[in-house]
Structures are given as C-alpha cells and as structure tokens.
Amino acid sequence: MTLKLDIEVLAKDDDEALSLLTRFAHEKLLAADVHELDGTKTLNIDGGENDIRAKISNATIEFWVRYSHDESMYEKKLLDFCRQHNLTVRFKTTDRGDK
C-alpha cells in the first residue's frame, strides 16, 4: 500500500517540475537519477529504495510513500528543500489509498 503525501510542489510546467524533482532526488534523497517505473506513470526518485515515488501532472509534483512511519521524514525533507529553493507548495488533504 502507498500513501499520498499531503504536500504537492507547483512548477510553471512539466519540464520545470521534472528538473525540480531531479534536484530534490539528488540533494535530499542522494539518488543518482530519476526514472519512470515501467508500466506506470510514477517516478522512482530514491535511488531504487522504492520507499518514495513521485508523479508529475499539470506542472504539479505529487508524492507517495510506502510506509506510514516514513511520512513525516519525507515531508520534512520536502519542506526543507522547498524552503531552500523558495518553491511554491500546496497542502492538500487526500483520500489515502493505493496509487
């Protein structure tokens, strides 16, 4: 089961979103690259750990985590990154469930 984080990052377009996501993956998750998982529209962003994934849709980056006990850790990393780079975030309460 995966849980959607309530934080989304807003960009001006999908290209900028991918660039920001790649930077986040490098800086905060120490991933070598970001790549799409075969047969899905989700992106592996944590260097193969598969504990956090992302999806870009309409210049918005959404995040999912595998374990509920990791939610706050990833939210903190994401918010730290957004503060450091003066990014726009949206807090969105969502229904929890598989994505």
Side-chain angles (χ1 to χ4, degrees):
M1 176 181 239
T2 56
L3 304 169
K4 187 174 187 302
L5 295 183
D6 293 334
I7 302 168
E8 298 175 341
V9 177
L10 306 179
K12 64 182 175 189
D13 56 38
D14 284 356
D15 288 337
E16 180 186 54
L18 182 58
S19 176
L20 292 171
L21 184 60
T22 301
R23 193 169 183 181
F24 171 71
H26 292 165
E27 289 181 19
K28 297 296 183 179
L29 305 177
L30 306 177
D33 64 353
V34 168
H35 62 275
E36 188 171 318
L37 296 164
D38 290 338
T40 72
K41 294 190 185 263
T42 60
L43 301 162
N44 179 302
I45 62 172
D46 64 355
E49 298 285 323
N50 206 25
D51 290 340
I52 183 171
R53 292 183 179 179
K55 179 180 176 185
I56 297 172
S57 177
N58 298 320
T60 301
I61 309 169
E62 303 170 343
F63 298 88
W64 283 267
V65 296
R66 179 186 281 186
Y67 305 110
S68 60
H69 65 267
D70 286 340
E71 267 183 286
S72 62
M73 174 192 61
Y74 285 117
E75 285 177 349
K76 182 183 181 322
K77 288 180 185 230
L78 184 55
L79 288 172
D80 286 346
F81 177 79
C82 291
R83 275 192 285 273
Q84 290 170 347
H85 298 286
N86 199 30
L87 301 177
T88 303
V89 296
R90 174 172 51 205
F91 296 94
K92 185 173 183 176
T93 304
T94 60
D95 292 330
R96 302 292 175 154
D98 284 347
K99 298 288 176 200

